[in-house]
Amino acid sequence: MDITFASSLPADAMLVAHVVNRGDAPAGLEPVLVEGARAARFKGGAGQLFEGFVERGGKIVRVALSGAGEGDAADRGINCEKAGAAIAGKYLCSGETAVVLDLTGSGLSAAEAASVLFGLRLRSWRYDAYRTRMKDEQKKTLAGVTVVGAPDGTEDAWAKEAALAEGVEFARVLAAEPPNLLYPVEFVARCEKALAGTGVEIVVLDDAEMEKLGMGSLLGVGLGSERDSRLLCMKWMGGNPGDRPTAFVGKGVTFDTGGISLKPGPGMEDMKWDMGGAGAVAGAMVALALRKAKANIIGVCGLVENMPDGRAQRPGDIVTSMSGQTIEVLNTDAEGRLVLCDALTWTQQQFDPVAVVDFATLTGAMIIALGNEHGGLFSNDDTLAERLLSAGQATGDKLWRFPLSPAYDKLIDSPIADMKNVGPRGAGSITAAQFLQRFIDKDRPWAHCDIAGMVWADKPGQTWDKGATGYGVRIMDRYVRDVLEG
Ligand code: BES
Ligand code: MN
Ligand code: ZN
């Protein structure tokens, strides 16, 4: 989506959109539109859209009124995104190729105007790379937005949000790519390409290097795959040179068959997005680097493919993690924690981060608990947890906190090794988090986000079509803005 700013309404504008607050009579509009909106019960609710046709300067013009909700709502930014998203949702495949967003008299602030554009851009993302036989009415037509009447400062505010949109879209592409084409080595290549020239430093560990470091847990998961595993580290040092970094760590299982503990066939294709945590971390690095965030951030992705094979690990195997702790692998489908634990150990040893936050599509149990409305948050630090919860609230990538405690931790003790990789049936998401906590240094603020239900959507939402959502990128970006740059 090409977004440009202009000082006056283009003479050839055929589609003009206005943003309207709830209850406000749309100022300066033709009576026929005002009356039409009233008759259609258009009230300016967030995401509500009314369309009419009027004659302007001797031409028939298509006019959209898009609602932004209450002018003073706490979630005003999100409501403005919905106003932009509604325009994209309505006209994306309409045959219209350009829309003029006329913000004259809208009363929006620069930040709110940027939010409208952000919603419009995010909602217009769709991945058609592999669709070669689309009918005309299926094709995306809307390609450009011209903004007129924007409040002062909108262009600067938008530049920052455009960087974030870039990051969200990158995360979505990674999640949407099929698993035959996106495997660990290719994931790394995509990140190298996306981050080239941004100033992000990239370090990649291959199987042999990880072997040398003793990452027996991560490597064990990749044993059944023909594809090599990788540990990807992306370093953005935009803050004070002496400041210890904050680390984001992602689960990047490019396909999860379950391994020898094979998953049932129906729905297994969903496991192509089992790299959604890593995708979100990579997307966040793109966003932070493009907007030149004044913060030191490390992004680490543990990348493997979990396949059943003659060389695959078996239920009952015992592996030794980089931390030295041994793990009895009772279920090869509980592989995410096996990947993350070594990634977490390496990250802490390498960077001594002030805080570590991991993102992972870790447990199906998370979806049972929260559905597709919240990611699950687990943390050993109340301040960190509060900050992540507010970042989620502010961006709409919502989180909900779950408990950790020694009583849950006990459930993963093993009679033959230091721990087992699965607990009993109950509290599956919590025992998974307890497992990760065993690899977190004492006194290190850490949070785990189980985003199993959030990476992919079966139906369109406010700022996404059905498919990859890019969930998590905005949490990290917002956390950096509010906590590290604020
Ligand atoms: N990647 C899955 C979790 C998942 C399931 C994410 C469905 C998204 C949708 C994970 O690796 C897994 O298989 N977890 C097991 C753990 C169990 C064996 C303890 C699960 O949730 O069933
Ligand atoms: Mn699994
Ligand atoms: Zn998995």
Side-chain angles (χ1 to χ4, degrees), residues 251 256 274 335:
K251 167 181 172 180
D256 180 14
D274 206 17
E335 86 297 338

Side-chain angles (χ1 to χ4, degrees), residues 236-246 294-297 351-354:
W236 170 256
M237 299 304 248
N240 295 325
D243 286 357
R244 286 163 60 206
T246 295
K294 292 188 178 45
N296 296 337
I297 308 292
F351 302 106
D352 187 24
V354 278

Side-chain angles (χ1 to χ4, degrees), residues 314-332:
R314 295 146 288 258
D317 282 4
I318 295 178
V319 296
T320 303
S321 65
M322 184 184 177
S323 72
Q325 298 179 91
T326 57
I327 304 158
E328 184 188 12
V329 179
L330 287 181
N331 188 325
T332 65

Side-chain angles (χ1 to χ4, degrees), residues 251 256 263 271 273-274 331 333-335 337 361-365 367 422 452:
K251 167 181 172 180
D256 180 14
K263 284 184 182 297
M271 287 299 108
W273 44 262
D274 206 17
N331 188 325
D333 195 13
E335 86 297 338
R337 62 201 77 182
T361 49
L362 207 60
T363 64
I367 309 177
V422 288

Side-chain angles (χ1 to χ4, degrees), residues 9-14 30 54-61:
L9 205 74
D12 59 351
M14 298 305 287
E30 292 84 345
V54 288
E55 199 177 322
R56 286 182 185 170
K59 271 190 327 224
I60 303 292
V61 179

